[in-house]
Amino acid sequence: MSSFVGQSIKPVIKNGEVITAEIGSTSLALKKPIPLSEFSDFVKKLEAIAEYIDFAGNSGWNDEELEVFLLWEISDRAHDFFKILSKQKEWTNRKKILKTMKITPSSLAGTLSSPGQYFTRWKKDPVYEKDWKRVENKEELLHYRIKPKYFDMIKKLLKEA
């Protein structure tokens, strides 16, 4: 993998040729395969145009955008999800979220699909993250949290709402 604008370029190789290249979550549609011997030249050319093109794709949020998103663009249930997460910076396990919201895992998945579509459509950085965490050295549970860089903004906006 090559380093690229704070991300890596991951070549997808088939039959000794690069058939596509991935930069972060963006997959480049190549018109034709690139021989492995020419891939480093390809990367150099990408780096030359990176000054003009945003290959990262997702941009961050300012206060106004985040306010519109939280107060107008998501469902009441998604709003409740973010309110639960805004109570602490640490990870919150899914069981606690489900119990507090009185919903099933599939309902939570549906609840999070709307914000997920918004992040994709508007090329915005997702404001929350999820990860599997081991609880008391027993089972692993899915946990969620608001990304640290958005936590204070979201907490403030939801407190004012």
Side-chain angles (χ1 to χ4, degrees):
M1 281 190 248
S2 304
S3 177
F4 185 77
V5 195
Q7 299 190 35
S8 61
I9 298 177
K10 179 183 164 197
V12 177
I13 302 168
K14 183 177 180 182
N15 298 328
E17 295 182 312
V18 177
I19 58 169
T20 189
E22 297 171 351
I23 302 173
S25 62
T26 303
S27 184
L28 301 177
L30 303 177
K31 289 184 177 180
K32 63 181 183 175
I34 303 168
L36 282 175
S37 60
E38 297 176 21
F39 186 67
S40 63
D41 290 336
F42 173 76
V43 171
K44 288 177 187 171
K45 290 174 184 174
L46 279 178
E47 288 171 341
I49 63 169
E51 182 178 343
Y52 306 100
I53 297 174
D54 177 15
F55 285 103
N58 294 339
S59 61
W61 298 80
N62 63 39
D63 287 345
E64 293 81 23
E65 292 170 329
L66 203 48
E67 182 176 16
V68 167
F69 169 72
L70 289 170
L71 302 180
W72 302 104
E73 296 292 336
I74 60 175
S75 68
D76 290 342
R77 194 176 272 174
H79 188 268
D80 293 343
F81 169 80
F82 287 112
K83 216 165 188 144
I84 291 166
L85 295 186
S86 72
K87 295 192 184 312
Q88 64 180 30
K89 285 188 177 186
E90 293 81 33
W91 294 90
T92 303
N93 81 51
R94 183 174 68 170
K95 283 184 179 181
K96 180 179 179 181
I97 294 167
L98 296 173
K99 185 176 179 180
T100 304
M101 294 178 71
K102 298 179 179 135
I103 60 174
T104 64
S106 60
S107 293
L108 180 60
T111 297
L112 298 180
S113 69
S114 173
Q117 291 171 4
Y118 187 92
F119 302 144
T120 302
R121 183 174 57 245
W122 297 104
K123 295 191 182 256
K124 288 299 200 181
D125 183 28
V127 297
Y128 72 93
E129 52 194 353
K130 61 183 178 179
D131 196 9
W132 290 92
K133 304 281 183 193
R134 187 166 300 282
V135 178
E136 299 171 6
N137 290 330
K138 295 180 183 175
E139 63 183 328
E140 283 194 346
L141 296 175
L142 190 56
H143 284 68
Y144 296 87
R145 75 172 178 180
I146 294 172
K147 288 184 177 176
K149 65 182 172 182
Y150 301 120
F151 183 83
D152 291 333
M153 255 196 297
I154 289 174
K155 184 174 182 147
K156 180 182 177 220
L157 287 168
L158 292 176
K159 198 175 269 188
E160 293 172 357

